Amino acid sequence: MASTAINYPTARRDDSVVDDYHGTQIPDPYRWMEDPDSQETRDFVTAQNAMTNEILSGIKDREKLKKRLTELIDSPHYGCPFKYGSNYFYFHNTGLQAHSVLYMQKSLEDEAEVLLDPNTWSDDGTVSLSTYAFSEDGEYLAYAVSQSGSDWTPIKVLRVGAREKEPDELRNVKYTSIAWTHDGKGFFYHRYDGVDTEGAAAGTVRVVNQRVYYHVLGREQREDALCWESKAHPTWMFGSEVTDDGKYLVISTWANCDHDNLVHVINLEQLPPGRLEEASEKAASASDGNDGSVRLPAITLRGEFDGMFSYVTNDGPAFTFHTNKDAPRGKVVRMMLQEGTGAEGRGEKMDGSMEGGEGKEGKEGKEERKEEEAKLEEGEEGWVEVIGESEGDVMEWIRCVNHDMLLLCYMRDVTNVLEIRSLADGSLLSTVPVPLGAISSSSGRRMDSEVFFSFESFLSPDTVYRCDLTASSPEPEVYRQLAVAGFDPSLFEAQQVFVPSTDGTRVPMFVVSRKALPRTSSHYTLLYAYGGFNISIKPSFSVARVLLMRHYNAVVAIANIRGGGEYGERWHKAGALANKQQCFDDFASCAEYLIREGYTSPSKLVIEGGSNGGLLMGASVNQRPDLFACALAHVGVMDMLRFHEFTVGHAWTSEYGCSSDPQQLKWLLSYSPLHNVRRPWEAGSTSSNNTDAQSAEVAAGDVAAAEAAAKRQWAERTPQYPAVMLLTGDHDDRVPPSHSLKYAAELQHVLVHSKNGESLQTNPIVLRVDVKSGHGAGTSTQKVIERNTDAYSFAACVTNTPWVD
């Protein structure tokens, strides 16, 4: 497959678009691609898809791959059961259904009935279920619906017993939680007012001013009561949770994608009877809803962004939290809520202003409030440590179960272990034996005497376990086990290795392959990583990767590079902001290890990543084109100078920095995929976008040093880029498709179209834009099959890897 035989579409370059970043002039010739609804953008996408489809249609064995992948996926799988009211609920997919179906049953032995089937919502499977929440008594289900993978998810309500949909429908909802009051009269949710979620700009508009509302069941959305907002900090986002006992509302506030949060608590029992309902009635007569504000008396438990605090449970005013404050690997603490009269009658806005109310806020009220805040801070940090930080394990999550127990999930070298501890004093009651792998989901609440969890590994499909907590030594028992037809795990093996990176740090990596596969440096090897936002990539079962190992004799490697959460917050911060380059260095070190140890060679090494991992792909092929044969970049963040201008990108500045800051601009320019495309065969070459200064040295004015470094860097490398497939969705409103569109156009321009000499680029550079698709959540089974077929058959083709029956 050679690009000389490919008729690449030519994208118009608008050289008049030049931005001034702190005195550095940087062109953006494809700015017009940021408008997804323009005819020119649509024509570009159509032409690129036509070219890509023409290439894919000529790949030998592509249909074999699709047929076999479909066969492997066509196995029933189940989610963990969970209980509300008198019923159990669980999700189930028979195999090839577009989406899993929600079932209900009276007991674990009774026959189950369909409660909610997202497959009936559309003919093509592009409408899916997003978040959901049952009322405490299980009588109602509030659920959010995503269309074409969008993050805009209107909320609807179902009456469970009658299986009837209520007239309630709440719009302008994005990144929401749903928290029912225990009386079942309504729920708290989050929305963005004033945004046209149906218009063309909905996929790119910068979302700000999230608000917390209370919706009374059966009323119009315009009657919903505004409960919480931050006018002074429009980019802040919220999470709402009603406590286990139903007495309090816990509001968490995040300034960005860092896990550090503020915590405010509202005593719902101290609200005058009917106050939320009355506020809803008041909102109905207001023009913009603001006059319906509920002046809720909030108590500040955490008033600084100095750590992550996640609510676990409470006994009256004694609140238990999971935190990483002064404990990067996590610990459990308990705080006492001090409810003084000085806080009553006030709704404390996040900008620090106070909404007046029935309580006293004169001199006497302010003095009482100061006294209350002092009580909260007495003692070291104002808390009691219940469970301390582990010496090496990361505390991933905690559930309060069986009234007075804590179920803790730790991560130990990227695999999970479970413990049961006392809620009262944190003492260890039992260690739950689990196989070597990962807990992918779990269920169980404080009143439940049983818990369920789903386990998986690279060679073990999802297995649901049930654990009876009333036993003296709780032992998990298999409740449901997924069997994949035609898959024999005994033919394969998985091992964990530790790779020294550029600074000597040992980076864990899993290597999975056929047993006793000879190390001939000739194997199609897929190397995957993410490396960002404190997200851990744990062992998981993938039929697509099984297929690669079975029918291509491939090696699959998963690198747990820095930037993730595999070893806690320090591991995350070691790959963020000014340290972001370390992620790319870790990844390259893992690739070099696979080559050095004889698993593969540069002509057989395929790399893959999505979202932040898509950025990893773009930076890696720019920096080390000699190291890889092919890159599969899904929904990547490719324009590091403008990502914050769209959707929720402003929240990512805590991970990357922002081009509005001169120092951070230097970091971003040093690796931004869009701004670092070069012709490897031209020593010292720079991207057509790299005028005046495109590296830290140039930004600092040291042009000669930058040119010398570039010549040394590129002179030793392969004469062309690896094959690249950029995959995105036309309805991605988290990472807009313009990131991939602009990067594809720049790659094709610099490597193929540019008139600066003859092109040596024969490896294909293709763009795949999926129609009616988003960032990934809610993708139908059929679309997953099609995407994996296209990506992995393309990679097999460019690495000249034959299909093995």
Side-chain angles (χ1 to χ4, degrees):
M1 184 184 295
S3 68
T4 53
I6 298 174
N7 184 22
Y8 287 96
T10 302
R12 176 178 65 88
R13 292 176 62 83
D14 185 353
D15 294 327
S16 68
V17 181
V18 180
D19 294 313
D20 186 309
Y21 289 91
H22 316 290
T24 298
Q25 305 298 307
I26 301 178
D28 191 6
Y30 301 118
R31 179 73 57 83
W32 55 269
M33 293 184 182
E34 293 175 359
D35 180 0
D37 201 45
S38 75
Q39 190 59 50
E40 189 172 20
T41 302
R42 290 180 175 181
D43 289 345
F44 175 77
V45 169
T46 299
Q48 290 286 335
N49 273 345
M51 178 195 73
T52 300
N53 290 334
E54 182 178 358
I55 291 172
L56 293 173
S57 64
I59 294 177
K60 183 183 178 183
D61 298 325
R62 179 166 171 261
E63 289 306 313
K64 280 187 180 181
L65 190 159
K66 183 176 182 179
K67 180 176 182 293
R68 185 64 179 130
L69 183 57
T70 302
E71 292 171 351
L72 287 171
I73 287 179
D74 191 10
S75 299
H77 47 275
Y78 297 84
C80 292
F82 54 95
K83 192 174 184 180
Y84 277 87
S86 59
N87 293 308
Y88 285 92
F89 304 88
Y90 66 92
F91 286 93
H92 170 54
N93 192 309
T94 57
L96 292 178
Q97 289 177 288
H99 304 286
S100 294
V101 178
L102 179 59
Y103 286 82
M104 177 177 75
Q105 58 188 157
K106 287 292 184 183
S107 72
L108 296 177
E109 293 76 30
D110 285 338
E111 184 177 350
E113 305 173 45
V114 173
L115 177 62
L116 197 65
D117 185 359
N119 300 294
T120 64
W121 298 345
S122 63
D123 294 331
D124 57 3
T126 57
V127 182
S128 62
L129 176 67
S130 181
T131 190
Y132 62 91
F134 284 89
S135 60
E136 183 66 18
D137 58 7
E139 292 297 317
Y140 291 97
L141 169 66
Y143 61 97
V145 177
S146 171
Q147 188 160 358
S148 300
S150 174
D151 283 335
W152 291 107
T153 53
I155 295 175
K156 302 181 181 184
V157 179
L158 182 75
R159 186 187 294 269
V160 173
R163 320 287 202 279
E164 292 179 356
K165 195 173 87 169
E166 297 293 296
D168 307 64
E169 184 164 348
L170 313 180
R171 308 197 70 82
N172 285 80
V173 176
K174 193 173 192 177
Y175 311 130
T176 189
S177 53
I178 301 173
W180 287 84
T181 47
H182 280 206
D183 58 12
K185 292 181 179 180
F187 52 84
F188 298 93
Y189 72 101
H190 314 145
R191 78 180 194 225
Y192 292 92
D193 293 322
V195 179
D196 179 11
T197 62
E198 305 295 331
T204 59
V205 64
R206 189 172 185 262
V207 289
V208 293
N209 296 313
Q210 190 182 56
R211 294 168 166 177
V212 179
Y213 282 87
Y214 183 76
H215 173 72
V216 176
L217 207 59
R219 292 187 178 173
E220 297 288 336
Q221 186 176 14
R222 64 185 178 84
E223 301 177 55
D224 292 351
L226 172 62
C227 300
W228 202 260
E229 66 176 337
S230 174
K231 291 183 178 179
H233 303 282
T235 60
W236 286 7
M237 300 171 68
F238 309 112
S240 303
E241 187 172 4
V242 173
T243 56
D244 291 339
D245 57 10
K247 294 181 179 180
Y248 301 93
L249 174 68
V250 179
I251 295 182
S252 296
T253 303
W254 293 272
N256 44 50
C257 281
D258 261 356
H259 290 193
D260 297 353
N261 61 296
L262 311 179
V263 180
H264 291 79
V265 178
I266 296 164
N267 190 326
L268 298 175
E269 287 192 336
Q270 287 186 358
L271 297 180
R275 185 167 179 188
L276 289 170
E277 293 89 333
E278 290 172 3
S280 294
E281 291 175 358
K282 187 177 180 182
S285 62
S287 59
D288 62 0
N290 283 332
D291 290 341
S293 299
V294 184
R295 290 166 170 82
L296 299 180
I299 297 175
T300 302
L301 267 185
R302 298 303 301 177
E304 300 291 337
F305 291 107
D306 57 359
M308 176 273 292
F309 288 84
S310 178
Y311 168 78
V312 176
T313 192
N314 67 293
D315 288 291
F319 276 70
T320 302
F321 283 89
H322 173 202
T323 182
N324 65 1
K325 175 74 166 73
D326 301 324
R329 291 181 296 278
K331 64 182 178 182
V332 178
V333 299
R334 186 163 296 131
M335 311 181 198
M336 183 62 68
L337 191 68
Q338 303 291 339
E339 300 184 85
T341 57
E344 293 179 3
R346 304 193 320 268
E348 185 175 352
K349 291 301 187 74
M350 302 308 297
D351 60 5
S353 64
M354 308 300 295
E355 295 252 346
E358 297 89 1
K360 38 187 178 172
E361 183 55 21
K363 181 178 180 181
E364 180 182 355
K366 290 179 180 178
E367 290 300 320
E368 290 185 10
R369 178 159 57 92
K370 288 179 180 178
E371 180 181 351
E372 171 194 315
E373 290 171 350
K375 287 180 181 179
L376 287 175
E377 296 175 0
E378 63 185 10
E380 185 177 357
E381 293 292 352
W383 65 50
V384 174
E385 185 174 283
V386 180
I387 302 174
E389 181 183 26
S390 167
E391 291 185 2
D393 299 343
V394 177
M395 189 181 291
E396 272 203 293
W397 53 260
I398 308 169
R399 286 185 176 276
C400 184
V401 293
N402 199 27
H403 306 291
D404 58 0
M405 293 180 175
L406 295 177
L407 178 66
L408 291 90
C409 182
Y410 284 95
M411 184 163 48
R412 179 178 299 162
D413 281 335
V414 206
T415 60
N416 285 140
V417 294
L418 289 178
E419 291 182 353
I420 298 174
R421 290 180 175 266
S422 165
L423 170 63
D425 60 13
S427 59
L428 180 64
L429 302 178
S430 176
T431 298
V432 182
V434 295
L436 194 64
I439 308 297
S440 54
S441 63
S442 65
S443 66
R445 299 195 296 157
R446 184 162 184 174
M447 70 283 292
D448 295 333
S449 60
E450 62 184 350
V451 294
F452 296 86
F453 61 88
S454 183
F455 165 86
E456 63 180 317
S457 69
F458 294 113
L459 301 178
S460 302
D462 272 343
T463 300
V464 178
Y465 289 87
R466 176 183 177 272
C467 192
D468 181 2
L469 299 175
T470 62
S472 56
S473 296
E475 293 277 341
E477 58 185 29
V478 174
Y479 178 69
R480 284 191 174 113
Q481 190 163 21
L482 171 63
V484 176
F487 169 62
D488 182 358
S490 68
L491 300 177
F492 305 91
E493 61 183 359
Q495 61 175 316
Q496 187 180 40
V497 299
F498 292 86
V499 179
S501 188
T502 51
D503 62 353
T505 299
R506 286 163 31 101
V507 177
M509 179 170 65
F510 291 100
V511 181
V512 192
S513 68
R514 279 179 172 270
K515 280 187 177 177
L517 191 70
R519 297 191 188 181
T520 60
S521 300
S522 61
H523 299 296
Y524 170 174
T525 295
L526 179 70
L527 173 60
Y528 179 90
Y530 184 79
F533 294 94
N534 203 30
I535 293 174
S536 304
I537 306 301
K538 298 185 295 183
S540 62
F541 184 80
S542 164
V543 294
R545 291 169 183 168
V546 167
L547 182 149
L548 296 181
M549 294 186 292
R550 168 63 182 82
H551 293 286
Y552 289 111
N553 284 326
V555 175
V556 174
I558 310 296
N560 300 111
I561 63 177
R562 277 170 281 188
E566 287 85 353
Y567 292 101
E569 187 61 13
R570 288 198 182 102
W571 190 259
H572 166 222
K573 291 300 186 183
L577 297 173
N579 300 320
K580 191 63 183 174
Q581 180 60 43
Q582 193 61 63
C583 300
F584 316 136
D585 292 344
D586 286 359
F587 190 68
S589 295
C590 289
E592 290 171 333
Y593 173 91
L594 292 168
I595 295 168
R596 184 171 64 249
E597 293 298 316
Y599 289 101
T600 191
S601 64
S603 63
K604 291 288 188 178
L605 182 53
V606 179
I607 57 175
E608 183 177 29
S611 196
N612 174 78
L615 159 63
L616 173 66
M617 297 300 101
S620 294
V621 297
N622 283 346
Q623 294 181 13
R624 293 298 305 271
D626 58 307
L627 205 50
F628 317 111
C630 177
L632 307 172
H634 302 258
V635 294
V637 185
M638 302 300 189
D639 185 350
M640 301 310 297
L641 303 193
R642 288 178 55 78
F643 69 84
H644 60 287
E645 300 284 354
F646 305 101
T647 66
V648 73
H650 54 75
W652 311 337
T653 56
S654 60
E655 188 77 11
Y656 302 132
C658 185
S659 58
S660 62
D661 181 283
Q663 182 59 40
Q664 295 174 10
L665 173 67
K666 297 177 184 180
W667 310 340
L668 296 168
L669 274 176
S670 69
Y671 66 81
S672 176
L674 179 63
H675 301 88
N676 285 280
V677 180
R678 297 171 174 85
R679 289 183 155 204
W681 57 87
E682 295 178 0
S685 65
T686 58
S687 165
S688 59
N689 279 5
N690 292 353
T691 60
D692 291 347
Q694 287 295 358
S695 65
E697 293 88 348
V698 178
D702 195 351
V703 179
E707 291 180 347
K711 288 180 180 180
R712 290 193 305 272
Q713 186 178 28
W714 293 99
E716 301 175 356
R717 295 190 177 173
T718 185
Q720 65 169 317
Y721 264 55
V724 176
M725 176 180 278
L726 304 174
L727 303 94
T728 187
D730 66 342
H731 280 70
D732 190 342
D733 49 17
R734 192 175 307 176
V735 179
S738 59
H739 281 273
S740 295
L741 269 58
K742 292 167 73 172
Y743 186 48
E746 182 69 5
L747 283 169
Q748 292 172 1
H749 172 75
V750 174
L751 301 177
V752 179
H753 293 310
S754 179
K755 303 302 181 183
N756 299 331
E758 181 182 357
S759 172
L760 299 181
Q761 183 69 30
T762 59
N763 293 326
I765 309 292
V766 300
L767 173 68
R768 182 188 186 273
V769 183
D770 197 15
V771 177
K772 299 179 75 173
S773 285
H775 195 64
T779 303
S780 69
T781 300
Q782 188 57 39
K783 281 188 174 290
V784 170
I785 292 172
E786 292 170 353
R787 182 187 65 210
N788 286 337
T789 296
D790 290 350
Y792 295 139
S793 64
F794 176 79
C797 180
V798 298
T799 57
N800 296 309
T801 305
W803 175 273
V804 178
D805 287 323

